């Protein structure tokens, strides 16, 4: 195998693969399908598939939105996974910022759970704050 391919595969396995973050102009609405879904699929799909979804959460294309928005967390049923307009009240945001008492912060990788780069977290935050639009 070529060194570049090996490096890319190793990066993906470690969860530190580069993910393209879409540019959304300041003040413009963030859409799940248009902006966030490709990022979610790139990072999260390994463990949140239909076949064996961890924590009963399926994040495959076309399904993730309905699985998260307004639906209760299985770990902390008092919280919605995504509460539109309220990152602090969204279990997803707590998992992504590693502010959790059950399980680990997301995403998990083979080297443990990692914190996403700031620009990626920012996209999630803007999406939730902006009303978690489809
Ligand atoms: C390597 C496997 C793996 C990856 C990749 C992964 N997860 Fe998870 N996820 C888990 C496991 C295992 C649990 C349950 C245990 C825990 O919380 O640590 C979980 C639980 C969750 C929960 C709690 C669901 C609920 O209803 O309470 C959320 C939310 C979540 N993951 C979101 C994500 C997101 C978003 C990503 C991508 C950024 C992601 N996960 C990537 C393995 C993974």
């Amino acid at each position: 195998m070529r060194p570049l391919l090996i490096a890319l595969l190793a990066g993906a396995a470690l969860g530190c693969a580069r993910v393209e973050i879409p540019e959304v102009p300041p003040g413009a609405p963030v859409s799940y399908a248009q902006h966030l879904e490709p990022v979610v699929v790139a990072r999260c799909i390994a463990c949140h598939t239909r076949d064996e979804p961890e924590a009963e959460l399926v994040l495959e294309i076309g399904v993730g939105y309905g699985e998260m928005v307004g639906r209760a967390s299985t770990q902390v049923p008092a919280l919605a996974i995504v509460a539109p307009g309220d990152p602090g009240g969204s279990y997803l945001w707590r998992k992504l910022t590693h502010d959790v008492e059950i399980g680990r912060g997301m995403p998990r990788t083979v080297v443990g759970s990692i914190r996403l780069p700031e620009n990626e977290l920012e996209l999630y935050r803007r999406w939730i704050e902006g009303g978690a639009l489809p």
Side-chain angles (χ1 to χ4, degrees):
M1 264 197 289
R2 290 162 182 229
L4 177 63
L5 186 56
I6 293 170
L8 283 173
L9 289 174
L14 290 171
C16 50
R18 279 194 160 266
V19 171
E20 187 110 4
I21 309 298
E23 291 277 338
V24 188
V30 177
S31 141
Y32 187 78
Q34 210 186 327
H35 307 113
L36 196 59
E37 188 161 60
V39 177
V40 169
V41 168
R43 291 274 191 206
C44 319
I45 200 69
C47 308
H48 293 283
T49 53
R50 247 178 258 263
D51 301 340
E52 272 185 74
E54 296 290 0
E56 293 168 43
L57 178 65
V58 181
L59 295 176
E60 286 180 14
I61 288 188
V63 187
Y65 185 84
E67 287 275 297
M68 292 197 286
V69 178
R71 189 182 147 235
S73 148
T74 55
Q75 292 182 339
V76 181
L79 283 180
I81 298 183
V82 172
D86 181 12
S90 298
Y91 195 56
L92 172 69
W93 182 249
R94 299 204 188 175
K95 287 299 249 185
L96 291 175
T97 53
H98 295 202
D99 176 17
V100 288
E101 277 149 32
I102 301 177
R104 308 237 183 102
M106 291 294 136
R108 285 177 174 232
T109 71
V110 294
V111 292
S113 66
I114 60 159
R115 201 182 149 98
L116 293 174
E118 286 307 317
N119 61 341
E120 206 166 326
L121 282 176
E122 179 66 9
L123 190 67
Y124 281 92
R125 193 187 57 72
R126 276 180 65 185
W127 173 62
I128 298 173
E129 270 182 4
L133 305 174

